Amino acid sequence: MAMTWEEVVAVATALPGVEEGTWWRSPGLKVGGKGFARLRVEAEGGLALLCELAEKEALLASGDPAFYTTPHYDGHPYVLVDLTAVDPRQLAELIDSAWWLRAPARLRRERSAAR
């Protein structure tokens, strides 16, 4: 039940238009030039992943230790993910959701049409 940054990158870059780079001076993932995930180098570590606020609240309320937040992220649509504790399938779904939230309309339309 653990994932590495390299595995996160592999899941994300399988999605259309995703590029690995840096975001806030740390490893990050972007689509259409906009970030949706970054590997935090702060003391608490973890993966900062874009999500809807309601989903963040549900993940935090679930009691799953893989999901947490810090005061810096309060009120922001990002959940922090402990890569050593997260279920890989659940993280893949969350990465996919983050992609849909951030991807440009053209990429979303193309992906919907391909389904």
Side-chain angles (χ1 to χ4, degrees):
M1 271 191 45
M3 287 192 73
T4 64
W5 171 248
E6 291 75 20
E7 290 169 323
V8 170
V9 170
V11 168
T13 55
L15 299 168
V18 173
E19 298 177 346
E20 181 181 12
T22 58
W23 187 26
W24 293 101
R25 294 183 295 232
S26 60
L29 297 165
K30 297 179 180 182
V31 61
K34 296 180 181 180
F36 67 93
R38 78 175 185 93
L39 187 62
R40 297 179 73 239
V41 294
E42 293 84 351
E44 305 89 5
L47 175 73
L49 185 63
L50 178 68
C51 65
E52 293 182 350
L53 282 173
E55 184 163 30
K56 175 182 179 175
E57 291 172 12
L59 289 168
L60 295 175
S62 75
D64 186 333
F67 304 105
Y68 63 102
T69 191
T70 64
H72 176 77
Y73 287 92
D74 288 348
H76 297 283
Y78 287 88
V79 67
L80 302 181
V81 182
D82 180 348
L83 294 178
T84 66
V86 71
D87 179 280
R89 290 179 307 246
Q90 185 176 22
L91 183 57
E93 290 173 10
L94 292 170
I95 290 170
D96 188 74
S97 295
W99 182 92
W100 282 102
L101 290 171
R102 190 60 88 205
R106 176 188 57 81
L107 284 178
R108 292 193 316 266
R109 281 191 305 271
E110 290 173 6
R111 187 166 177 212
S112 290
R115 286 187 166 188

